Amino acid sequence: MSSTWFIYSGALMVLLSIGVLILAGRPATPVRRDATSVASGVVIFAAVCALALLLHAPAHIAVSGACFWMAAAITAVHAVRGRSRSQG
């Protein structure tokens, strides 16, 4: 199995999280001020990068895939948290 699935699955997650953002509507808080979203993205980045390197993926593929996963996590968490905070 090729290690490029880290990149493809991360890109798919970005598209899905953008769909969540579109369905949830625009969050009240800008993403720059939402520390939880950024923190979740950093944790996901580290986990995916470590997993990819443990599975002997090349470093450039591990980092590229982890960047996609980080972007997806930040977008999805920001969409869900921002929307629930503005409603309640």
Side-chain angles (χ1 to χ4, degrees), residues 1-85:
M1 181 169 154
S2 176
S3 58
T4 56
W5 70 271
F6 283 105
I7 295 175
Y8 296 138
S9 63
L12 178 64
M13 292 304 294
V14 168
L15 292 175
L16 291 174
S17 63
I18 289 172
V20 168
L21 186 62
I22 289 171
L23 291 175
R26 185 174 179 204
T29 308
V31 73
R32 284 181 238 108
R33 295 182 54 202
D34 192 1
T36 305
S37 298
V38 175
S40 69
V42 170
V43 168
I44 292 294
F45 176 85
V48 170
C49 198
L51 178 66
L53 292 175
L54 284 174
L55 294 175
H56 303 291
H60 67 283
I61 291 179
V63 171
S64 297
C67 285
F68 276 117
W69 277 90
M70 179 179 66
I74 290 172
T75 306
V77 171
H78 181 63
V80 172
R81 281 192 80 238
R83 191 68 184 160
S84 64
R85 191 180 320 141

